[in-house]
Amino acid sequence: MTAVAFVGLGNMGAPMAANLVTAGHEVTGFDLVPEALATAAEAGVRTAGSAAEAVACAEVVITMLPSGRHLLTAYNGVDAEGNGRKGTGLLAAARPGTLFIDCSTVDVADARTANAAAVAAGHRAVDAPVSGGVMGATAATLTFMVGAEAADFTDVEPLLSSMGRKVVHCGGPGGGQAAKICNNMVLGASMIAVSEAFVLGERLGLTHQALYDVVSTASGQCWSLTTNCPVPGPVPTSPANREYKPGFAASLMAKDLGLAANALRDTGVEAEIGLHAARIYTAFAEELDTERDFSAIVNAIRERSGNPDGEGSDGSPDDHS
């Protein structure tokens, strides 16, 4: 049994923490949202009154936070502008030699900065972002992409395996984040392509089921189709069947594609599709009046195509005469 502090008990963090409890670990959690704390408590997570209290007696600290800015502020007690009080963050509150695991998705540079700060404070640290969404977090089938020194990876692998199905060592500090932004660039671009195909299929008179049955067993098969299908029906567990309740929120996809776009520019890689996908999701996230799963991009494509209600999806061709 490992004493784990889990900071950030949102849609992903809460089920991940619950799976650690199920695996027999002693988990103390903290989140700024009272409802998130209550949900975690129902799953057997001990709740703390502050993040510092949560980590005080932990052997391992796991963070799942919205951005690199939030991560660095949580670690150090101050943000990039110097707001806050230095020495009041998680690194100062934790016992010497604590192992920090960050499962957030952040910029590679922020991941390396966080790692260096943890090491300078006398701790060990790895970056371990995840893929698999809320469904994967709940079912403990996540993929963890880990940036760590070899010895640290050996120590974190059993713990991460309690929350996921696959744990991959992607290199040294920052390597996990590098793999994550590459993966999500593929994911965002593929969801746009799958959604465009369904809208085209509607126009051509194909039913959603017929198109799914073909593509899911043909060369266009991908996760965006077979797990997170953007139209209701073919995959009953996809967010499309729950009015696009996330899931993986469109705003988070926009953020991740923005990280990928920054990396593309910094490295000089010519990746027109990745950059265009980032622009599409940024605009889509800004247009939404409430949070939706990233697969709801299909509705934006319909609207731009003058087909907002998905005419033709019942299998009868549209009349274009």
Side-chain angles (χ1 to χ4, degrees), residues 6-16 30-31 33 36-37 39 64 134 137:
F6 207 115
V7 179
L9 298 168
N11 291 334
M12 293 292 293
M16 290 168 67
F30 176 74
D31 195 283
V33 180
L37 282 174
T39 298
M64 177 61 92
V134 174

Side-chain angles (χ1 to χ4, degrees), residues 9-294:
L9 298 168
N11 291 334
M12 293 292 293
M16 290 168 67
N19 285 327
L20 288 173
V21 172
T22 300
H25 300 291
E26 182 182 283
V27 183
T28 302
F30 176 74
D31 195 283
L32 293 173
V33 180
E35 292 80 6
L37 282 174
T39 298
E42 291 174 1
V45 176
R46 295 182 181 182
T47 59
S50 68
E53 179 186 332
V55 308
C57 295
E59 300 168 74
V60 175
V61 175
I62 300 176
T63 47
M64 177 61 92
L65 300 170
S67 70
R69 176 174 60 86
H70 292 92
L71 172 64
L72 294 174
T73 300
Y75 271 24
N76 299 317
V78 295
D79 61 19
E81 287 73 40
N83 300 313
R85 195 151 54 92
K86 193 170 183 180
T88 60
L90 303 182
L91 301 181
R95 298 183 301 183
T98 297
L99 177 56
F100 280 78
I101 304 174
D102 180 48
C103 294
S104 320
T105 298
V106 305
D107 189 273
V108 174
D110 286 340
R112 290 174 176 162
T113 298
N115 180 280
V119 171
H123 304 299
R124 297 184 293 154
V126 308
D127 50 287
V130 305
S131 180
V134 174
M135 288 186 290
T138 302
T141 57
L142 295 169
T143 293
F144 286 88
M145 295 149 271
V146 184
E149 302 298 342
D152 292 336
F153 177 75
T154 298
D155 288 344
V156 302
E157 186 176 17
L159 196 66
L160 298 181
S161 294
S162 299
M163 300 180 285
R165 184 164 52 195
K166 191 172 185 66
V167 182
V168 181
H169 189 195
C170 298
Q177 297 297 344
K180 176 64 186 287
I181 63 174
C182 290
N183 176 79
N184 277 20
M185 185 170 71
V186 174
L187 176 61
S190 66
M191 181 57 77
I192 293 169
V194 168
S195 297
E196 289 178 349
F198 271 111
V199 176
L200 176 60
E202 291 166 4
R203 281 291 182 89
L204 295 174
L206 289 170
T207 65
H208 293 160
Q209 190 64 52
L211 183 58
Y212 176 86
D213 288 346
V214 170
V215 180
S216 65
T217 57
S219 54
Q221 187 275 331
C222 61
W223 190 93
S224 293
L225 176 73
T226 57
T227 298
N228 218 76
C229 185
V231 298
V235 180
T237 55
S238 75
N241 298 281
R242 305 189 306 273
E243 297 183 344
Y244 297 96
K245 179 181 178 181
F248 184 52
S251 60
L252 294 178
M253 175 54 78
K255 182 201 82 169
D256 289 1
L257 288 173
L259 295 176
N262 290 341
L264 289 170
R265 297 185 187 101
D266 290 344
T267 56
V269 173
E270 289 291 327
E272 296 181 11
I273 291 175
L275 292 173
H276 191 48
R279 289 190 291 268
I280 289 173
Y281 267 105
T282 297
F284 179 55
E286 290 174 350
E287 291 168 2
L288 291 174
D289 58 0
T290 187
E291 197 63 278
R292 291 286 184 269
D293 187 76
F294 81 112

